[in-house]
Amino acid sequence: MTFPIPHHVETLQPYIPGKPIEETKRELGLQEVIKLASNENPLGPSPLAVQAIRESLVEAHLYPDGSGFLLKQKLASHLGVTPEQLVLGNGSNEIIELLVKTFVGVTDHAIISQHSFIAYKLALHANAKQFVEIPTKNRKHDLESISQKIGAQTKLIFLANPENPTGAWLLKDEWENFLAKVAEKNAHTLVVVDEAYFEYVTDSRYPNSLHYHHAYPHLITLRTFSKIYGLAGLRLGYGVMAPWLAAYLDRTRLPFNVSVPALVGGLAALDDCEHVKKSRESNSLGRQYLQEEFEKLGVQSFLSQTNFLLIDFGFPAAPVFDALLRQGVIVRPVANYGLPNSLRVTVGTDRENEQLIIAMKKVL
Ligand SMILES: *Cc1c(COP(=O)(O)O)cnc(C)c1O
């Protein structure tokens, strides 16, 4: 017996997450496995968040505050925005999904960039929305071509800055030119800038998109607690946008989309400046170390402002990925991003970074 599955679902490919540690141990009979595949914080969660989450569990029988009042208050003052500009989500992935569902109609389309974070494409495809994918230039967003494609039906443009998996980032002047062009072509187009790695960026030429919301009211910023805050397992992210846009997402989201541990953990994590500082410093040193070691090995690594590096072998990377797995190191293949010769590696602890380099030497 068959059931007529809608075409957009039949043709949908599921998201491929990083390979789990336990699965790798089981399959390859390994004792010790390290995972540098999902851009998680190698220092773990904020200790303050862990304590707050523990204490909150006795209230697990109660529904969470569906409005996220306390977290929005604190986040708003942390960011210099108003609580009405914030939408909390089950990871920023949920905000991506909500934006697509809420703002792209049947005759509309979205614009995405080649080699971009795959969640945008998946959300559009899963919701049967049309989209245009613009090729990159030297693995960077081609802002000129993107702005040329903007028309009356362009409702959303997704841009990650910095980008995942390429690590490429836009500079202030490019960004400002782009915003001006979008406003000129279609002032109603929503520009969604995904700043999941914002807290890792050190380049002073990097534009903090929150500074542009005033001049460009159709700008939406996405951030997350999954990366530097080390809370990927809790699922907490947020969008910053004009209050009238946020109000629409409040209609389309599920009533209790963010759990009690996520609300409480996020609140405590914002107070843990020490953890953020340590994470940023450790990442910066680790990234430098890996870059130097890859260079010595003759492996091309691209400049990065994030907690990961894209490396390129100049030949198919799948056998390198498999061989690294057998050495107990999980990294991320990115062939599904159109980058078959590359792997993405997350910056780990000092020890993990050394293990990765030792394994890479053996494998190559
Ligand atoms: C990791 C990442 C996110 C975070 O997603 P969450 O759902 O918040 O865990 C968002 N965007 C990009 C580009 C990422 O790499």
Side-chain angles (χ1 to χ4, degrees), residues 35-302:
K35 184 181 172 204
L36 300 173
S38 300
N39 302 343
E40 293 145 336
N41 187 333
L43 304 188
S46 142
L48 291 186
V50 172
Q51 191 189 339
I53 293 162
R54 275 216 183 91
E55 287 165 10
S56 78
L57 291 179
V58 292
E59 292 197 359
H61 61 299
L62 300 176
Y63 281 101
D65 171 10
S67 73
F69 179 81
L70 289 176
L71 179 56
K72 279 192 194 170
Q73 290 285 325
K74 178 163 268 178
L75 202 48
S77 81
H78 177 79
L79 300 170
V81 302
T82 65
E84 293 73 29
Q85 283 177 273
L86 295 171
V87 179
L88 304 176
N90 191 277
S92 49
N93 253 270
E94 189 191 13
I95 312 286
I96 295 168
E97 179 83 19
L98 287 173
L99 291 170
V100 165
K101 192 164 105 172
T102 312
F103 297 122
V104 187
V106 269
T107 59
D108 301 328
H109 66 253
I111 298 180
I112 58 174
S113 194
Q114 186 194 11
H115 307 316
S116 214
F117 186 43
I118 215 150
Y120 315 138
K121 200 191 284 193
L122 288 181
L124 287 157
H125 198 147
N127 286 283
K129 310 291 185 179
Q130 301 178 61
F131 61 91
V132 190
E133 187 171 354
I134 308 293
T136 51
K137 248 191 190 162
N138 299 325
R139 293 205 172 84
K140 260 191 97 165
H141 299 306
D142 182 353
L143 297 177
E144 186 56 43
S145 301
I146 292 175
S147 50
Q148 273 168 17
K149 277 281 179 210
I150 297 171
Q153 302 307 119
T154 310
K155 287 295 176 330
L156 281 180
I157 301 173
F158 281 109
L159 285 179
N161 191 28
E163 183 61 277
N164 170 16
T166 62
W169 68 102
L170 299 171
L171 306 180
K172 270 180 203 154
D173 53 345
E174 303 171 289
W175 167 248
E176 288 171 8
N177 283 339
F178 176 69
L179 286 179
K181 259 193 207 130
V182 177
E184 204 180 284
K185 296 277 287 215
N186 181 349
H188 298 292
T189 299
L190 301 171
V191 176
V192 183
V193 57
D194 183 344
E195 297 180 338
Y197 301 95
F198 174 83
E199 295 85 355
Y200 286 111
V201 174
T202 51
D203 186 347
S204 61
R205 300 166 301 166
Y206 172 85
N208 173 352
S209 68
L210 291 182
H211 297 159
Y212 298 84
H213 279 244
H214 231 74
Y216 298 95
H218 287 69
L219 185 57
I220 297 174
T221 300
L222 304 184
R223 302 247 179 107
T224 183
F225 284 85
S226 297
K227 303 288 152 67
I228 208 161
Y229 290 103
L231 299 177
L234 288 186
R235 311 306 301 125
L236 178 63
Y238 57 95
V240 187
M241 64 201 81
W244 67 273
L245 288 170
Y248 283 108
L249 300 196
D250 260 334
R251 297 190 200 184
T252 53
R253 70 176 172 85
L254 294 176
F256 303 105
N257 59 333
V258 181
S259 71
V260 168
L263 289 173
V264 167
L267 200 63
L270 283 176
D271 278 334
D272 201 342
C273 304
E274 191 57 35
H275 185 68
V276 171
K277 188 163 168 269
K278 246 197 282 183
S279 302
R280 190 187 295 124
E281 286 168 1
S282 149
N283 181 70
S284 172
L285 292 172
R287 192 171 65 199
Q288 180 84 27
Y289 165 80
L290 287 179
Q291 232 149 13
E292 286 166 10
E293 292 299 317
F294 284 131
E295 197 179 325
K296 285 186 211 160
L297 284 171
V299 174
Q300 187 186 11
S301 75
F302 296 91

